[in-house]
């Protein structure tokens, strides 16, 4: 027993013990509620059903439609295409920071908690298979009526430091689909899905060398998260990556966020996710 407790009258000790028990039980309930929130979000078999107007993207010369997959349910040719696209876009930058491993990336993409949005070109607009990128022809066949895949967003629902978030693992676009608004559209869809599932925000990791992606995320309102290396201590050795976040707000309804998660807009140094 601690010396402080020892010196207390019995009723005060009992009160303190009781209070500890209550706090522990409350924390356990809170943790269970967060896990439940994530499980419910993961279990949604049709995450795009509320966002029908956003599953088609026709702008800037692109004519695409978006479908949702789980990592485990992604057809093999699409999984191969996703891995090849990521390798093509990222391998060089990865090698300078974490190293590149096909196996590790594949495991990440196909993990049971991994989720995908995949944008397919409308079938009529798809180029002949000979012009397609590695794996895209077979991936097209796996996609059914759609044309070739153009882009994907790989995400998970997670609890990060006690806060439920949608974690964006990868956004990868074929070169011919870049800078046409599709990346932004996919991120907006993720934000909508995150909000609908009670997540407090979107989190992601991006390499410092990826200045294009950093500019893209800044344009979309993402800023450095307090868990990002060097955020709290400018003397810390700079890492090769930063963690960015965007808190998500609901229309004010006069009561706090479900499961007690307030949003920290305007909260100095913290973005609430
Ligand atoms: C967590 C991660 O996934 S990090 C890895 C990100 N992925 C990559 O680096 C792979 C290669 N790049 C890509 O796949 C894409 O180009 C992405 C994902 C970086 C961006 O998607 P895109 O569709 O090309 O960008 P999009 O056209 O939607 O641009 C949205 C906004 O960001 C701006 N933007 C995009 N790229 C840049 C840039 N390099 N510099 C400045 N602004 C930019 C656009 O001008 C646009 O602004 P607007 O809304 O005012 O018009």
């Amino acid at each position: 027993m601690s010396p402080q407790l020892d010196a207390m009258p019995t009723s005060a000790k009992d009160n303190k013990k009781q209070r500890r028990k209550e706090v522990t039980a409350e924390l356990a309930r809170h943790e269970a509620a967060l896990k439940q929130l994530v499980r419910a979000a993961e279990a949604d078999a049709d995450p795009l059903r509320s966002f029908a107007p956003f599953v088609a993207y026709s702008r800037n010369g692109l004519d695409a439609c978006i479908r949702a997959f789980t990592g485990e349910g992604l057809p093999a040719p699409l999984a191969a295409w996703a891995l090849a696209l990521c390798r093509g876009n990222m391998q060089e930058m990865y090698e300078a920071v974490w190293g590149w491993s096909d196996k590790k990336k594949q495991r990440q993409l196909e993990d049971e908690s991994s989720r995908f949005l995949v944008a397919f070109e409308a079938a009529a607009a798809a180029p002949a298979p000979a012009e397609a990128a590695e794996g895209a022809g077979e991936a097209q066949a796996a996609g059914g009526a759609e044309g070739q895949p153009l882009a994907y967003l790989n995400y998970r629902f997670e609890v990060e430091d006690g806060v439920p978030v949608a974690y964006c693992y990868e956004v990868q676009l074929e070169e011919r689909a870049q800078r046409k608004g599709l990346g932004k559209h996919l991120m907006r869809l993720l934000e909508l899905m995150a909000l609908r599932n009670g997540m407090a925000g979107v989190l992601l990791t991006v390499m410092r060398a990826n200045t294009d992606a950093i500019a893209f995320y800044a344009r979309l309102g993402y800023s450095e998260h307090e868990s990002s290396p060097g955020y709290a201590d400018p003397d810390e050795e700079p890492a090769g990556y930063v963690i960015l976040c965007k808190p998500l707000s609901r229309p004010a309804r006069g009561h706090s966020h479900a499961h007690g998660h307030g949003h920290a807009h305007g909260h100095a140094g913290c973005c609430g996710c």
Side-chain angles (χ1 to χ4, degrees), residues 90 93 171-172 179 204-220 222 242 244:
M90 309 302 296
M93 278 187 269
V171 191
Q172 298 293 336
R179 298 301 296 263
L204 57 93
T205 302
V206 60
M207 268 171 285
R208 283 188 191 278
N210 197 349
T211 48
D212 283 339
I214 287 177
F216 164 74
Y217 287 120
R219 189 76 196 92
L220 269 58
Y222 285 74
V242 283
L244 303 180

Side-chain angles (χ1 to χ4, degrees), residues 158-232:
E158 294 181 348
V159 177
E160 285 283 327
D161 294 332
V163 179
V165 296
Y167 208 112
C168 172
Y169 276 65
E170 295 289 350
V171 191
Q172 298 293 336
L173 277 70
E174 294 282 0
E175 200 172 342
R176 66 197 157 95
Q178 292 178 14
R179 298 301 296 263
K180 295 179 177 177
L182 182 58
K184 176 172 161 177
H185 187 78
L186 289 169
M187 287 303 296
R188 293 287 191 238
L189 258 176
L190 177 65
E191 290 163 13
L192 287 173
M193 292 192 305
L195 256 181
R196 184 168 167 275
N197 284 287
M199 302 293 129
V202 176
L203 232 66
L204 57 93
T205 302
V206 60
M207 268 171 285
R208 283 188 191 278
N210 197 349
T211 48
D212 283 339
I214 287 177
F216 164 74
Y217 287 120
R219 189 76 196 92
L220 269 58
Y222 285 74
S223 57
E224 196 165 352
H225 188 250
E226 59 189 6
S227 67
S228 190
Y231 180 92

Side-chain angles (χ1 to χ4, degrees), residues 60-133:
N60 303 322
L62 285 183
D63 195 5
C65 66
I66 296 158
R67 284 181 60 192
F69 296 89
T70 63
E72 288 176 327
L74 197 66
L78 261 186
W81 162 81
L83 177 64
L85 179 59
C86 190
R87 188 196 306 117
N89 283 346
M90 309 302 296
Q91 182 169 7
E92 217 174 292
M93 278 187 269
Y94 263 63
E95 274 169 356
V97 180
W98 298 305
W100 175 267
S101 156
D102 264 11
K103 269 202 178 134
K104 271 192 196 161
K105 184 53 72 179
Q106 189 175 5
R107 271 205 299 273
Q108 177 199 307
L109 297 175
E110 295 177 5
D111 189 89
E112 65 172 324
S113 52
S114 166
R115 299 288 180 273
F116 282 84
L117 296 177
V118 181
F120 295 89
E121 202 161 24
E131 299 168 39

